[in-house]
Amino acid sequence: MTRGETDLLRRCVVVGGAGAVGGLFAGHLLRSGAEVVVVDPAPGAGQPSAGQHSVDQHSADQHSAGEPRFLRGDITDIGPDLAVEIGRADLVLLAVPEPVALAAVKQVAAAMRPGALLADTLSVKGPIAEAIRAHAGDVEAAGLNPMFAPSLGFAGRPVAAVVVHDGPRTRALLRLVESWGGRAVRLGAHEHDRLAAATQALTHAAVLSFGFALARLGVGVAELAAVAPPPHATMLALLARIASGTPEVYWDVQSANPQAAAARAALAEGVRTLAGLLDGPADGEAEFAAALGGLRELLGPDLGFYRDTCAGMFGALRPPEHALGPYESNPSTSTSRPVTTER
């Protein structure tokens, strides 16, 4: 953190800092030199580890650099201790579910000093932007949406930024995100939700629908893994990642974004379009080829980039050990040249 960012974002309160997204920001803010208070309502959540202490045990002035302080509190029912922390903060970051953030905006903004920065990490920006405009006119405000799982880190990854009330602290936070390796992409709230419906809601819906279809087909994954071509193995990997994630995150992506329903409807229409091409007239193959040409046009100048990216991903795929038959060797140890197919 440069001296300017240090002065502008010296004291930070991360609500939900015991969670994955909040923890990502809290950790980077600490390493950038900020003082961080992690707030969480759950008993035992975010409890101090060795060498850390809570707000109740030590005053803010006794805070040790590089260590978060912890405060148990409910951001929708701000008590005296939490009000003090919010009132002295340069940044209050709401890394909480959308209903909690919407319920908290009015009283959090009232507890903040004018000119401080209120930020959020919600995956939908329209409703929170409206709430901020209605109740938080005296503070800077920005919504950040890391477009990646927190475990992947910021390096080289996009962070959507919806700036509601701009100012020096907002710009300092965006510079920090970029110093952590992220790419801050400024969007309007409506534009963010439109793009999130396509990049997140549509993508997750496609993967989940693939999983539901597999379950209906009644084919075991162990059977599939033995013969799975790279595209299918990639879909299984995506399905496993989502199935292993936090259900609330994927539920919010589908249910909270008002434009997600249109994305799912477009996905269903896409399946019907494919079925229509296959069940159509005798020259349906020509129409199918024309449809693929349309998809190439959709990808435009990025066609080669994504095609080559896919080839690189496929090159890294390996079947699970149990999928290898008694006469097969693991491709990672085989000296024979692998056979590749475009499937």
Side-chain angles (χ1 to χ4, degrees), residues 120-283:
D120 70 84
T121 63
L122 303 188
S123 58
V124 179
K125 297 305 185 188
I128 191 70
E130 291 179 7
I132 287 170
R133 292 189 186 100
H135 303 298
D138 293 335
V139 298
E140 294 182 31
L144 302 180
N145 184 8
M147 306 297 284
F148 53 89
S151 60
L152 296 176
F154 284 99
R157 306 189 191 281
V159 178
V162 175
V163 176
V164 183
H165 297 151
D166 207 348
R169 288 188 170 86
T170 298
R171 293 189 289 273
L173 180 58
L174 296 185
R175 287 194 297 271
L176 270 182
V177 167
E178 295 187 337
S179 76
W180 300 335
R183 293 188 294 106
V185 182
R186 284 208 184 203
L187 301 167
H190 178 80
E191 184 184 15
H192 169 277
D193 292 352
R194 179 177 66 86
L195 293 177
T199 59
Q200 294 183 313
L202 174 62
T203 304
H204 297 168
V207 175
L208 290 167
S209 297
F210 164 78
F212 298 147
L214 274 185
R216 291 180 68 86
L217 289 174
V219 183
V221 172
E223 298 175 81
L224 296 169
V227 295
H232 184 85
T234 300
M235 289 295 289
L236 288 178
L238 290 169
L239 180 62
R241 185 171 183 83
I242 290 178
S244 301
T246 304
E248 291 81 2
V249 172
Y250 297 102
W251 172 263
D252 286 346
V253 166
Q254 297 295 332
S255 65
N257 190 332
Q259 301 188 57
R264 293 191 298 274
L267 175 64
E269 184 60 32
V271 174
R272 287 191 291 270
T273 297
L274 175 60
L277 290 170
L278 298 174
D279 300 335
D283 62 348

